[in-house]
């Protein structure tokens, strides 16, 4: 970790990601409360807000991935922050004139821009971190994300309740401006060289062919799809575990979410410290298998302490899995293809997540919450079985050289 902390480009990228996470949580929580207040809790308006948060990911992640490979990552990320800054200035003007519906545009623009910034961030890690330190770098990044699972809702809710939507938007201006300023200190990188006949469509086709030649990437995408369906099935139903199975008030859900976040934070920290000793096959299979069994146990539990312990342990194993899978992807792919591969994986995961989420409520009405969670657990165990086909460590390098 000392090597990473002394790696100036990596720490600049992490500082920018930190600000982006703060901005995302402030945006999500503030706009949720704002829309609820303005519409008197209209489920249609809240659904529209959720769709706006996810739909751009499906549409723009592939485009963002292609452009991330064609453009200089530093400029792409700075441009994204500048565009976000400009869009929020426009929204402040519109909101102050009484057209509050413009907040939906904030969410759409911010989500779209992130589809260009995120793959560029991954490319910068690939460019500036030695391959042997990539697992630790991914684990460190995962730790930041886990931290905001815990404190993000608190920060976003508090800022909105104390300051209101106008000052929330102003705080987002400051965050994006500061992020762009920090990124300006990144070292210069060489321009990406292309042949005259190369087009964005051609780049996308090349990315698809790259995946077609890599069994490892195909298995990774299949794992992400299976996992997302399982997670999507249970994600909207967490509140019913608290109300129906544990007989607690709905407000207690935040404590179980926090336990999961703490587990992810601890798990990512451990992964960062022992990343070189982690055996990919063992951790991935064990992690997925435990997640599947834990999902089944959670729905049968009627004891808050057992449910809380399951959530905590699930967070730890999930952090390990995410670290290993992200590391495998980053180490298996050439730098020039990272944006496109990331752009292909993201809509697969998001689309599968939305499939699971969209049928979860109807599935529960037709059966029961126990049936839904047990089905999700079996789906996640299927992901564990599929993970046995992954090649890790030295085998990954052999396949990578074969593609080249």
């Amino acid at each position: 970790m000392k090597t990473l902390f002394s790696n100036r480009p990596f720490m600049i990228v992490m500082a920018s990601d930190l600000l982006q996470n703060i901005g995302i949580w402030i945006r999500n929580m503030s706009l949720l409360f704002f829309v609820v207040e303005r519409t008197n809790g209209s489920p249609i308006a809240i659904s529209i807000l959720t769709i706006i948060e996810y739909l751009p990911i499906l549409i723009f992640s592939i485009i963002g991935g292609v452009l991330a490979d064609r453009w200089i990552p530093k400029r792409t990320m700075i441009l994204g922050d500048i565009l976000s800054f400009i869009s929020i200035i426009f929204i402040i003007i519109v909101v102050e004139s009484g057209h509050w519906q413009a907040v939906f545009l904030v969410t759409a623009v911010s989500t779209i821009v992130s589809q260009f910034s995120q793959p560029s961030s991954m490319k910068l890690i690939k460019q500036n971190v030695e391959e042997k330190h990539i697992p630790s770098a991914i684990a460190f990044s995962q730790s930041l994300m886990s931290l905001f699972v815990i404190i993000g809702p608190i920060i976003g809710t508090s800022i909105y309740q104390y300051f209101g939507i106008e000052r929330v938007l102003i705080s987002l201006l400051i965050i994006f401006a500061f992020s762009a300023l920090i990124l300006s200190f990144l070292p210069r990188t060489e321009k990406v060289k292309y042949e005259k006949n190369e087009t964005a469509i051609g780049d996308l086709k090349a990315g698809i062919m790259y995946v077609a030649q890599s069994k490892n990437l195909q298995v990774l995408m299949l794992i992400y799809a299976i996992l997302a369906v399982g997670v999507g099935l249970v994600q909207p139903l967490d509140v019913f575990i608290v109300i129906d199975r544990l007989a607690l008030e709905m407000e207690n859900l935040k404590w179980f979410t926090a336990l999961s976040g703490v587990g992810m934070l601890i798990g990512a920290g451990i992964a960062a410290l022992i990343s070189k000793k982690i055996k990919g096959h063992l951790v991935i299979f064990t992690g997925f298998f435990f997640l599947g069994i834990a999902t089944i146990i959670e729905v049968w539990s009627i004891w808050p302490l057992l449910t809380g312990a399951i959530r905590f342990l699930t967070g730890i194993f999930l952090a390990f899995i995410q670290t290993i899978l992200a590391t495998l992807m980053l180490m298996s792919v050439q730098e020039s293809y990272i944006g496109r591969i990331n752009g292909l994986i993201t809509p697969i995961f998001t689309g599968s997540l939305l499939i699971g989420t969209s049928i979860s409520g109807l599935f529960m009405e037709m059966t029961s919450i126990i049936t839904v969670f047990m089905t999700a657990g079996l789906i996640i165990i299927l992901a564990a079985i599929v993970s046995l086909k992954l090649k890790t460590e030295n085998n990954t390098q052999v396949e990578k050289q074969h593609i080249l």
Side-chain angles (χ1 to χ4, degrees), residues 92-375:
I92 290 175
I93 296 172
V94 175
V95 169
E96 288 186 348
S97 67
H99 301 286
W100 66 268
Q101 294 86 349
V103 298
F104 289 110
L105 186 59
V106 175
T107 305
V109 170
S110 180
T111 306
I112 290 170
V113 168
S114 67
Q115 302 315 303
F116 295 85
S117 297
Q118 199 272 339
S120 296
S121 176
M122 295 291 285
K123 285 183 71 71
L124 285 170
I125 291 177
K126 179 80 170 182
Q127 288 175 354
N128 295 284
V129 177
E130 292 183 47
E131 196 163 272
K132 63 181 180 181
H133 296 306
I134 284 180
S136 297
I138 296 297
F140 185 80
S141 177
Q142 179 61 44
S143 297
L144 289 180
M145 294 179 62
S146 303
L147 178 63
F148 277 91
V149 171
I150 306 169
I151 67 173
I154 299 173
I155 294 174
T157 302
S158 299
I159 290 180
Y160 177 75
Q161 289 177 340
Y162 283 105
F163 301 108
I165 190 65
E166 290 84 4
R167 293 188 180 180
V168 164
L169 292 173
I170 292 173
S171 71
L172 292 176
L173 280 179
I174 296 171
I175 287 171
F176 287 121
F178 196 35
S179 175
L181 177 63
I182 290 174
L183 289 170
S184 68
F185 290 98
L186 281 170
R188 289 187 177 184
T189 53
E190 295 182 3
K191 292 184 177 180
V192 183
K193 297 179 180 179
Y194 287 93
E195 299 295 333
K196 291 183 179 180
N197 60 347
E198 286 183 326
T199 63
I201 297 298
D203 286 343
L204 178 58
K205 290 179 180 179
I208 295 173
M209 288 299 298
Y210 191 92
V211 173
Q213 296 176 37
S214 172
K215 291 183 179 179
N216 232 33
L217 289 176
Q218 294 169 28
V219 174
L220 272 174
M221 290 184 175
L222 180 58
I223 290 173
Y224 275 117
I226 296 172
L227 176 63
V229 172
V231 171
L233 277 175
V234 299
Q235 194 175 58
L237 307 181
D238 278 349
V239 66
F240 295 105
I241 291 290
V242 174
I243 297 173
D244 296 341
R245 299 300 298 168
L246 301 179
L248 298 174
E249 296 294 329
M250 182 174 61
E251 290 75 16
N252 289 289
L253 176 62
K254 62 185 177 184
W255 302 115
F256 294 97
T257 303
L259 279 172
S260 179
V262 170
M264 291 178 67
L265 182 61
I266 294 174
I270 295 173
L273 293 174
I274 64 171
S275 57
K276 294 180 181 179
K277 300 178 182 179
I278 293 176
K279 301 299 181 182
H281 270 116
L282 178 62
V283 173
I284 295 173
F285 176 80
T286 304
F288 274 123
F289 189 81
F290 177 84
L291 285 176
I293 297 299
T295 302
I296 295 172
I297 294 175
E298 182 180 355
V299 75
W300 282 102
S301 171
I302 56 174
W303 300 287
L305 287 178
L306 175 59
T307 302
I310 289 293
R311 283 294 185 93
F312 177 72
L313 292 174
T314 297
I316 292 177
F317 276 86
L318 189 59
F320 271 107
I321 291 172
Q322 290 175 332
T323 300
I324 296 299
L325 291 181
T327 300
L328 272 175
M329 193 280 285
L330 205 57
M331 295 179 69
S332 300
V333 179
Q334 285 178 260
E335 180 188 317
S336 58
Y337 282 88
I338 288 176
R340 280 165 282 182
I341 303 305
N342 187 82
L344 290 170
I345 289 177
T346 300
I348 288 174
F349 181 84
T350 305
S352 301
L353 186 70
L354 288 176
I355 290 172
T357 301
S358 63
I359 66 176
S360 63
L362 180 61
F363 190 17
M364 179 177 167
E365 284 189 3
M366 294 174 60
T367 57
S368 67
I369 189 170
I370 292 177
T371 302
V372 175
F373 270 70
M374 289 188 67
T375 301

Side-chain angles (χ1 to χ4, degrees), residues 8 46 217:
R8 184 168 168 266
I46 296 171
L217 289 176

